[in-house]
Amino acid sequence: MFVVESVCVAWFTLEFLLRFVNAPSKLAFARGPLNVIDAIAILPYYVSLVFDFGEEAQDEAVMGAGRGYLDKLSLILRLLRALRILYVMRLARHSLGLQTLGVTMQRSMREFGLLLLFVCVAVALFSPLVHLAESELAPFAAAHPQHSFSSIPASYWWAIISMTTVGYGDMVPRSVPGQMVALISILSGILIMAFPATSIFHTFSRSYQELKQEYERVWKQERHEEMSDFSQEDFSSASKKESEGMTSNETHRSTLPPSAF
């Protein structure tokens, strides 16, 4: 795996350097989001190599002393290695679907903000209600305190997983008032999730059509340029053959004797 990773990283590095050299504006290239992701995905490999050699040298020199510093370095190394998952983000450069997802998220920031606001307001509303229903109104909570909603902040987790219809089951209301609050919170969560989802879906569809048309336009333009270059080459070759034919005719006529005319 190390050999395969080394070959892949070497290829990615060569591609990144070639694109950087051929970029018209180096500053605009460095500010590009996809280029930043490429750099973050490539750098951990070289940093891990440096840390590996550094750890080997320090292990030989220190022989057990200063293990705390080496443990911190190994933790940083593991975190950097985890960043290699960003290799997957390189697919966004060649995938229309991932590009559409990124454009949709960029254009739907207001909708995502409204969704977060709605969820926060609903969580702040239903958490005290379920805490009151389970801790104060339910006789089951007094008999089994380990199953009760101990505090309002602890109820935030239950409200979030209930409104998003995840429902892990680690916190369950057991009283009738608590179950009524749970029913209302689940229905409210479905409605809250549905409101911005329609706008986000339309934005995704529109962004996909725009990017698809842009891809088709670029493809047709490149195809037209290739055809024009090919036709120019054919025209130049035909002109060259015609001029060569005229030159050979003139040469043949010049070599004929005067009596032939």
Side-chain angles (χ1 to χ4, degrees):
M1 291 299 296
F2 178 76
V3 176
V4 175
E5 183 182 9
S6 301
V7 173
C8 294
V9 171
W11 178 263
F12 293 156
T13 305
L14 180 61
E15 180 199 9
F16 184 81
L17 292 177
L18 290 177
R19 288 192 288 109
F20 178 76
V21 171
N22 295 324
S25 175
K26 302 298 187 293
L27 184 59
F29 180 86
R31 291 179 177 178
L34 293 178
N35 299 325
V36 173
I37 292 175
D38 290 344
I40 295 176
I42 294 172
L43 284 178
Y45 173 80
Y46 298 103
V47 176
S48 63
L49 287 180
V50 174
F51 278 178
D52 287 338
F53 288 122
E55 287 182 358
E56 292 178 0
Q58 289 183 0
D59 287 338
E60 294 178 356
V62 178
M63 294 297 292
R67 296 301 303 174
Y69 176 72
L70 294 180
D71 292 338
K72 293 180 180 179
L73 287 180
S74 62
L75 176 61
I76 296 174
L77 179 60
R78 287 193 294 270
L79 292 176
L80 291 175
R81 285 174 177 171
L83 292 177
R84 295 175 183 176
I85 194 63
L86 294 177
Y87 288 153
V88 181
M89 298 300 296
R90 292 178 57 86
L91 297 176
R93 191 181 302 278
H94 309 288
S95 175
L96 179 61
L98 291 178
Q99 290 183 5
T100 305
L101 179 62
V103 173
T104 303
M105 294 182 64
Q106 184 178 1
R107 293 180 177 179
S108 303
M109 294 304 295
R110 172 176 287 185
E111 286 78 5
F112 284 118
L114 290 176
L115 178 61
L116 181 61
L117 177 62
F118 293 159
V119 171
C120 290
V121 171
V123 167
L125 175 64
F126 290 111
S127 296
L129 291 179
V130 73
H131 170 68
L132 177 64
E134 288 295 308
S135 299
E136 303 295 336
L137 302 180
F140 180 82
H144 301 83
Q146 67 273 14
H147 296 291
S148 63
F149 290 68
S150 58
S151 63
I152 294 178
S155 303
Y156 285 168
W157 171 249
W158 171 87
I160 292 173
I161 63 176
S162 298
M163 294 186 62
T164 55
T165 66
V166 176
Y168 289 116
D170 52 348
M171 298 178 66
V172 180
R174 302 182 182 275
S175 64
V176 175
Q179 292 173 356
M180 294 298 297
V181 173
L183 175 62
I184 298 173
S185 66
I186 292 172
L187 294 178
S188 301
I190 294 174
L191 294 177
I192 288 174
M193 294 296 175
F195 287 151
T198 305
S199 177
I200 295 173
F201 171 75
H202 288 300
T203 303
F204 180 85
S205 179
R206 186 173 63 252
S207 301
Y208 178 78
Q209 294 297 330
E210 291 177 358
L211 289 177
K212 186 177 180 181
Q213 293 175 1
E214 181 68 20
Y215 268 69
E216 292 178 354
R217 187 187 64 81
V218 172
W219 182 82
K220 289 180 180 179
Q221 183 178 359
E222 292 178 353
R223 184 68 176 174
H224 179 71
E225 291 177 355
E226 291 178 358
M227 293 298 294
S228 61
D229 294 338
F230 183 74
S231 60
Q232 288 179 1
E233 290 178 358
D234 290 344
F235 179 75
S236 61
S237 61
S239 301
K240 184 177 180 180
K241 290 181 179 178
E242 184 178 357
S243 62
E244 289 177 354
M246 292 178 63
T247 304
S248 62
N249 290 335
E250 292 179 357
T251 305
H252 179 69
R253 292 180 58 184
S254 63
T255 55
L256 292 176
S259 60
F261 299 98

